[in-house]
């Protein structure tokens, strides 16, 4: 942004969907560099939201400058009045009013600077996400009959082991039923 004479007014980085970094930012750029800045920012990644503000505040700047001019004249008048005033009560009253006028002048001056900044700069609010990485292309693997036979045999052996394991668990769970029945049957046969 420095080459466009702009600046980042606000920035927030976070990890977005699918663990991709996302940046939300407010950028201030001179009005004449607005389109160039917008194009450069859009090239940084996938724009997920965008907002632009280039409010015309020229009339407000002129109004504030006129009010500031009037307040400065009023300040000079109070300064002249303060030099000629003799009574303490009058001096305190003029100083009080002079302090109030000076506070208003400072406030108007700060407002004028802010408005001038707004008049010469545009604001771009933007949220940019890093584009997702494309998955690697799948490589076609050629299988041989030996490899397929081996894989099939291993899978069958796994299936046999799982079946034997299930039957063992079932036999164990039902052992309180079949063990006494087995002893009873053996006793009956021997008798």
């Amino acid at each position: 942004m420095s080459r466009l004479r702009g600046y980042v007014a606000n920035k927030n980085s976070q990890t977005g969907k699918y663990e991709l970094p996302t940046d939300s930012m407010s950028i201030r750029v001179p009005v004449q560099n607005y389109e160039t800045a917008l194009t450069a920012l859009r090239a940084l990644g996938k724009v997920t939201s965008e907002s632009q503000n280039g409010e015309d505040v020229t009339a407000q700047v002129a109004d504030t400058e006129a009010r500031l001019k009037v307040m400065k004249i009023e300040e000079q008048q109070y300064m002249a009045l303060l030099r000629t005033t003799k009574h303490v009560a009058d001096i305190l009253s003029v100083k009080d009013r002079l302090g109030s006028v000076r506070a208003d002048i400072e406030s108007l001056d700060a407002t004028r600077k802010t408005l001038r900044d707004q008049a010469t700069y545009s604001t771009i609010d933007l949220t940019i996400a890093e584009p997702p990485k494309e998955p690697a292309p799948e490589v076609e693997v050629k299988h041989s009959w030996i490899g397929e036979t081996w894989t099939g045999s291993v899978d069958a052996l796994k299936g046999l082991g799982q079946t034997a394991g299930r039957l063992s668990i079932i036999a164990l769970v039902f052992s309180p039923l079949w063990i006494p029945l087995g002893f009873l049957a053996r006793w009956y046969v021997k008798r």
Side-chain angles (χ1 to χ4, degrees), residues 29-45:
V29 292
V31 175
Q32 66 271 18
N33 296 338
Y34 176 79
E35 290 299 326
T36 306
L38 203 52
T39 302
L41 289 168
R42 286 179 179 153
L44 293 176

Side-chain angles (χ1 to χ4, degrees), residues 63-87:
D63 179 55
T64 303
E65 286 179 346
R67 289 175 50 210
L68 189 58
K69 192 176 197 181
V70 169
M71 294 300 281
K72 284 185 178 185
I73 291 170
E74 188 176 346
E75 177 189 31
Q76 293 303 319
Q77 290 171 345
Y78 280 120
M79 291 293 291
L81 187 61
L82 189 61
R83 283 186 220 112
T84 60
T85 304
K86 302 290 182 213
H87 299 312

Side-chain angles (χ1 to χ4, degrees), residues 18-185:
Y18 307 116
E19 300 298 317
L20 296 173
T22 301
D23 288 329
S24 297
M25 58 189 92
S26 287
I27 297 169
R28 303 276 293 151
V29 292
V31 175
Q32 66 271 18
N33 296 338
Y34 176 79
E35 290 299 326
T36 306
L38 203 52
T39 302
L41 289 168
R42 286 179 179 153
L44 293 176
K46 182 179 184 240
V47 177
T48 58
S49 74
E50 178 180 319
S51 161
Q52 302 137 22
N53 181 3
E55 184 181 343
D56 187 7
V57 291
T58 310
Q60 290 175 323
V61 170
D63 179 55
T64 303
E65 286 179 346
R67 289 175 50 210
L68 189 58
K69 192 176 197 181
V70 169
M71 294 300 281
K72 284 185 178 185
I73 291 170
E74 188 176 346
E75 177 189 31
Q76 293 303 319
Q77 290 171 345
Y78 280 120
M79 291 293 291
L81 187 61
L82 189 61
R83 283 186 220 112
T84 60
T85 304
K86 302 290 182 213
H87 299 312
V88 174
D90 293 338
I91 291 173
L92 292 175
S93 177
V94 171
K95 278 190 172 185
D96 184 50
R97 186 63 190 133
L98 182 61
S100 177
V101 168
R102 284 182 174 163
D104 289 345
I105 288 173
E106 287 179 21
S107 175
L108 283 171
D109 194 39
T111 301
R112 179 183 57 132
K113 287 176 183 175
T114 301
L115 289 172
R116 279 188 175 169
D117 181 61
Q118 287 179 1
T120 57
Y121 283 85
S122 290
T123 302
I124 302 171
D125 293 317
L126 197 63
T127 301
I128 300 175
E130 182 178 304
K133 295 179 174 49
E134 293 188 24
E138 292 187 26
V139 179
E140 187 178 325
V141 178
K142 294 183 180 182
H143 299 285
S144 68
W145 67 270
I146 296 172
E148 288 176 5
T149 304
W150 180 263
T151 303
S153 300
V154 169
D155 288 343
L157 186 58
K158 283 181 190 175
L160 182 61
Q162 288 175 350
T163 302
R166 283 188 183 121
L167 289 174
S168 298
I169 291 171
I170 290 170
L172 183 64
V173 168
F174 286 101
S175 65
L177 293 175
W178 65 264
I179 290 177
L181 287 176
F183 281 126
L184 190 62

